[in-house]
Amino acid sequence: MLGLIQDRPLLISSLLDFAATYHGEVEIVSRSIEGPIHRYTYRDAQRRSKQLAQALQRLGVKPGDRIATLAWNGYRHFECYYGVSGIGAVLHTINPRLFAEQIVYIANHAEDSYIFTDLTFVPLLEQMAPELKSAKGYVILTDRKHMPGTSLPNVICYEELIAPESGEMEWPRLDERTASSLCYTSGTTGNPKGVLYAHRSTVLHSFATCMQDVLGISSRDTILPVVPMFHANAWGIVYGAPMCGAKLVFPGRELDGQNVYELMDQEKVTMSAGVPTVWLMLLNYMKEHDLKLPYMNRTVIGGSAAPASMIATFEKQYGVTVIHAWGMTEMSPLGTTGVMKAKMADWPFEKQLEYKAKQGRAVFGVDLKISDDGGNELPRDGKAFGHLMVRGFWIASGYFKGEGGQVLDEGGWFDTGDVATLDPEGFMQITDRAKDVIKSGGEWISSIDLENLAVGHPDVAEAAVIGVAHPKWDERPLLVIVPKQGRSPTKEEILGYLDGKIAKWWMPDDVVFAKEIPHTATGKIQKVALRQQFKDYVLPTAQSAAE
Ligand code: ADP
């Protein structure tokens, strides 16, 4: 027997309609690329998104066509989110920080028909335009006054594109499984692969972002997403905020401590979200200028592990609760958040910090488990670590155009590529990327655990651990240390410091000292580059084993 409940499709357009109807006067504030602060309301955003939708239809854009954006967080980009997906076309948010060849590859792979761009990226696109085979035109997200002279073919000024339209239209009633947006993962190996979100998965993910145990978005919030809109839909905030009528503050291009701080202060921001690197810049700026965050209530940190010291600084010095979150592009992106449980509220801060530094608990809608190499589930005891597998309402079932082939196992689980523990409280902790784990004699050694311990030594600024070939054990750990300025610790001192803190067989076979360690744009250690650098390294223990 089926229930007797209306079968209304879960559509992205309904989020903006709700905000415009019930929170029509709530503001969206943007630091514009042209310079000044721009402010308008959800009601304005809805009208202009509809104008854009009408203009796209006038250009001949059909359901399923891919429309790309190369843009920072701002109101016109927000309108693309709704105007494009609202008519059943697919919004392809391109990460402008990728290499030019990667951008060309993904725009061609996605077959983007129109490319919307901020002024910032016009020179970049001019270089690539001859290779962008499917592009019918380039829409510059600005007004006539700021239109640049450009060699781009078929250039359209955004304000002129939407101006003739009335904004009076009803969004089409699409199938809720219709594709809504497309986001490519940077892919450390092979070509980037496209994750194709749907209206249904996006709306369900938005409900989750509003849950108290997740990001807790509400109509009382003013949210500044520092996380870019080209990075997994700004972690879902561009959809979650209208679902509640939360005020939005878009930071534009400058994500330095000063710009972020000024917006937080002037707009009375209550919640923010971004990667650790961004927070490091903000914390340094505030320390230098002796500033406080009187309005901020919480901040979301994800993308890479939030260091315990950063969590403690936010919470103890600034009174800002940290929500440590983990997810990935393939997961829309939220998987876990580290909001404390009731019984943890009374724990001493040091004990809470142990849990806050983990990546958090599963969000309803996402199932987690860890398995060994043979696919057997491992215990949730906080000690065993294995491949982190996920399934759920907003997790990819495959990549765009079938790239990468079958990605789910028979149980419908997706392998995240992360290695993690799950503890009895349900908290997950990443111990490694699967490809970075050191496989010694069939057992696994966590490079992250060793790194975290090594940076505790007073002379160590940064540490990285990689597996190096070993004739007997297959791989053994090599510890690479960047000493603090003016310090020169010895190998014996470092290993002596680790002694007693780890199992004997985890002890690195050698320590090398370096001036620096390579990093990615988001501050993750580039293990691939490091492994390449040390690919011919002969461990002292390898020599003796070979003799
Ligand atoms: P990219 O490779 O472009 O950064 P994603 O944003 O999808 O792509 O990256 C997802 C990966 O980032 C996760 O699989 C995980 O390894 C890492 N990650 C995300 N959040 C955290 C976190 N809180 N702690 C540690 N690692 C994280």
Side-chain angles (χ1 to χ4, degrees):
M1 190 190 296
L2 295 178
L4 290 169
I5 297 294
Q6 298 181 8
D7 193 6
R8 309 266 308 158
L10 302 173
L11 297 180
I12 286 173
S13 53
S14 67
L15 298 169
L16 186 57
D17 282 353
F18 173 83
T21 307
Y22 300 103
H23 303 276
E25 75 299 342
V26 171
E27 280 186 312
I28 298 176
V29 180
S30 310
R31 169 93 71 195
S32 68
I33 306 305
E34 295 86 349
I37 295 282
H38 174 275
R39 352 175 57 95
Y40 73 170
T41 64
Y42 273 121
R43 202 173 291 121
D44 300 324
Q46 182 201 39
R47 190 190 65 255
R48 284 170 50 93
S49 300
K50 288 187 169 187
Q51 285 177 277
L52 171 60
Q54 291 170 312
L56 290 170
Q57 285 168 332
R58 188 181 78 227
L59 287 176
V61 171
K62 298 274 176 295
D65 285 357
R66 270 79 67 200
I67 305 290
T69 57
L70 271 158
W72 303 107
N73 293 5
Y75 67 103
R76 292 190 182 107
H77 200 182
F78 182 80
E79 290 159 15
C80 294
Y81 260 73
Y82 288 89
V84 173
S85 304
I87 57 168
V90 177
L91 182 81
H92 173 201
T93 50
I94 298 181
N95 181 348
R97 293 184 185 137
L98 296 176
F99 296 121
E101 311 87 77
Q102 288 179 311
I103 297 181
V104 168
Y105 170 84
I106 65 176
N108 284 333
H109 188 268
E111 299 173 78
D112 294 326
S113 60
Y114 285 92
I115 299 182
F116 285 60
T117 177
D118 267 341
L119 287 165
T120 325
F121 308 114
V122 171
L124 185 71
L125 276 170
E126 283 171 344
Q127 291 168 25
M128 305 174 186
E131 294 173 71
L132 299 177
K133 304 287 179 248
S134 51
K136 293 182 185 155
Y138 296 85
V139 180
I140 306 196
L141 292 161
T142 191
D143 55 14
R144 171 50 48 193
K145 196 168 123 217
H146 294 93
M147 277 296 278
T150 171
S151 63
L152 283 175
N154 304 321
V155 173
I156 303 170
C157 163
Y158 181 81
E159 291 299 331
E160 288 182 348
L161 172 70
I162 68 168
E165 305 298 339
S166 67
E168 277 159 33
M169 54 99 72
E170 291 299 320
W171 299 110
R173 188 177 162 136
L174 309 166
D175 182 320
E176 64 179 13
R177 291 161 302 173
T178 303
S180 56
S181 59
L182 178 63
C183 197
Y184 281 72
T185 61
S186 36
T188 38
T189 53
N191 281 320
K193 292 190 266 307
V195 179
L196 190 60
Y197 306 110
H199 283 260
R200 176 188 150 81
S201 64
T202 303
V203 173
L204 291 173
H205 184 268
S206 308
F207 277 116
T209 62
C210 303
M211 290 167 69
Q212 283 285 307
D213 269 6
V214 183
L215 308 185
I217 297 177
S218 87
S219 59
R220 293 166 297 288
D221 274 319
T222 295
I223 309 177
L224 189 156
V226 185
V227 52
M229 286 161 75
F230 52 74
H231 208 166
N233 306 314
W235 299 348
I237 290 170
V238 270
Y239 301 117
M243 176 174 261
C244 295
K247 174 177 163 182
L248 275 168
V249 180
F250 289 130
R253 181 175 53 172
E254 310 299 342
L255 305 178
D256 57 283
Q258 182 173 356
N259 187 35
V260 170
Y261 181 82
E262 282 176 6
L263 283 172
M264 283 180 167
D265 193 51
Q266 284 157 14
E267 300 301 327
K268 301 189 169 52
V269 169
T270 60
M271 177 200 157
S272 189
V275 295
T277 325
V278 160
W279 302 128
L280 211 54
M281 292 193 286
L282 178 74
L283 290 173
N284 284 339
Y285 179 78
M286 290 196 299
K287 192 168 169 204
E288 252 167 54
H289 298 86
D290 196 19
L291 301 167
K292 292 278 174 240
L293 287 168
Y295 311 107
M296 279 280 284
N297 163 277
R298 63 202 187 283
T299 196
V300 186
I301 307 186
S304 314
S309 58
M310 179 178 282
I311 301 174
T313 305
F314 265 117
E315 303 215 342
K316 286 287 172 212
Q317 284 185 33
Y318 296 97
V320 176
T321 302
V322 168
I323 301 179
H324 192 181
W326 165 85
M328 59 197 307
T329 306
E330 288 88 338
M331 300 175 69
S332 297
L334 283 176
T336 59
T337 49
V339 177
M340 295 289 96
K341 290 176 165 180
K343 67 174 175 195
M344 298 176 171
D346 303 329
W347 287 0
F349 185 70
E350 283 307 312
K351 188 164 176 203
Q352 284 188 359
L353 196 55
E354 238 174 72
Y355 282 79
K356 286 172 190 264
K358 295 189 177 198
Q359 275 70 18
R361 307 180 266 128
V363 171
F364 172 76
V366 177
D367 274 349
L368 305 175
K369 70 169 183 182
I370 47 172
S371 349
D372 65 14
D373 274 340
N376 307 302
E377 186 168 351
L378 295 168
R380 296 170 189 246
D381 58 7
K383 294 194 185 77
F385 54 97
H387 300 283
L388 179 60
M389 312 292 288
V390 293
R391 65 180 180 196
F393 300 153
W394 47 79
I395 312 251
S397 59
Y399 291 102
F400 190 43
K401 295 185 172 173
E403 295 292 333
Q406 166 78 19
V407 299
L408 305 185
D409 69 13
E410 316 79 67
W413 295 91
F414 175 88
D415 187 343
T416 62
D418 286 322
V419 175
T421 57
L422 283 170
D423 70 23
E425 296 294 351
F427 277 66
M428 182 273 285
Q429 183 160 30
I430 305 246
T431 58
D432 242 319
R433 292 291 294 167
K435 52 189 183 303
D436 296 338
V437 88
I438 296 137
K439 295 192 172 169
S440 172
E443 297 292 340
W444 290 6
I445 299 174
S446 157
S447 65
I448 294 183
D449 277 358
L450 289 176
E451 288 159 8
N452 287 344
L453 269 176
V455 291
H457 188 284
D459 292 344
V460 173
E462 199 175 15
V465 174
I466 52 169
V468 174
H470 190 281
K472 179 165 177 206
W473 301 107
D474 202 15
E475 268 184 1
R476 289 293 303 161
L478 171 69
L479 173 57
V480 185
I481 296 278
V482 180
K484 280 191 184 153
Q485 194 108 40
R487 305 289 179 87
S488 37
T490 63
K491 170 180 167 180
E492 289 68 30
E493 281 165 8
I494 301 286
L495 294 182
Y497 177 77
L498 297 180
D499 195 20
K501 298 188 175 78
I502 47 171
K504 282 257 174 292
W505 63 277
W506 277 39
M507 192 58 83
D509 283 27
D510 204 3
V511 181
V512 292
F513 296 92
K515 277 214 177 65
E516 58 182 8
I517 287 172
H519 288 103
T520 66
T522 52
K524 296 176 192 175
I525 294 174
Q526 261 183 336
K527 293 279 174 86
V528 180
L530 210 55
R531 275 195 292 268
Q532 183 60 27
Q533 196 180 328
F534 288 98
K535 75 176 171 11
D536 298 324
Y537 192 80
V538 181
L539 292 164
T541 50
Q543 283 165 340
S544 48
E547 277 158 13

